[in-house]
Amino acid sequence: MVSGDVVGRISKGAGTPGTLPDFAGLAWRMQRDADAQVPWDVLTVSSTARVVLRPTRSWAAAEYSTLMPLGYRGGVYWLRARLVTPLSGDGLSVDAVGDGLAAGTVAFEVQQARGGGPFTTLATLSFDRALCGDEPECDQPFDPTVRSGAEVTLLPHWLTSLRRAAYRNSREGRGAE
């Protein structure tokens, strides 16, 4: 088993207020390996059938998918995640995530599947505190099109190019570039 520091973001995609349904988002940044200078960003969103965005009514009901497969050493892989820590409250409230972090850890099980095969457990992500935004880890927006695992690529390549441009335009629009 390998463990290491992970910085994550749990968010509502459209930013609906309070407990209203939304697209639930889970992003995390980790080191590729002990020697890597470039981290690996993974972005997931509530979905169904691996590739279809799906709004959800609660964090626990969401199945998070990368929406795009990952290419690795000639294989095609999918990643998905599921919340394993019960959160209090009803609906999709960001406050419930904060309360969960205040009470301990908020954990997600990450699974992988090769091609159309079944999913198997790959890792557990455990978040133990909320960052206030002043930490250096908070300065860089998540972008899996420029920060990915060693030998890992987002597929298909043409969609990766479109996604890279969208992320770049979003950062420029927010003044984060």
Side-chain angles (χ1 to χ4, degrees), residues 22-150:
D22 202 332
F23 298 101
L26 168 66
W28 69 89
R29 175 173 294 137
M30 61 192 164
Q31 285 305 117
R32 292 192 297 201
D33 56 51
D35 299 325
Q37 297 298 314
V38 177
W40 182 1
D41 289 354
V42 179
L43 274 65
T44 63
V45 67
S46 56
S47 65
T48 186
R50 299 183 187 188
V51 297
V52 180
L53 285 168
R54 186 182 121 217
T56 185
R57 294 181 182 272
S58 74
W59 301 106
E63 182 175 285
Y64 303 84
S65 170
T66 54
L67 296 181
M68 293 173 64
L70 305 173
Y72 178 70
R73 295 188 177 177
V76 175
Y77 294 85
W78 292 90
L79 292 181
R80 74 177 183 191
R82 293 183 182 183
L83 178 70
V84 295
T85 303
L87 296 177
S88 62
D90 295 327
L92 194 69
S93 167
V94 175
D95 290 338
V97 176
D99 292 346
L101 288 169
T105 61
V106 173
F108 291 83
E109 177 185 65
V110 178
Q111 300 176 329
Q112 72 174 354
R114 185 172 178 140
F119 280 92
T120 58
T121 300
L122 176 65
T124 300
L125 290 175
S126 296
F127 300 105
D128 61 5
R129 67 189 178 280
L131 299 177
C132 64
D134 293 338
E135 293 84 355
E137 297 89 351
C138 299
D139 288 345
Q140 292 185 354
F142 292 91
D143 187 343
T145 67
V146 295
R147 288 185 290 278
S148 65

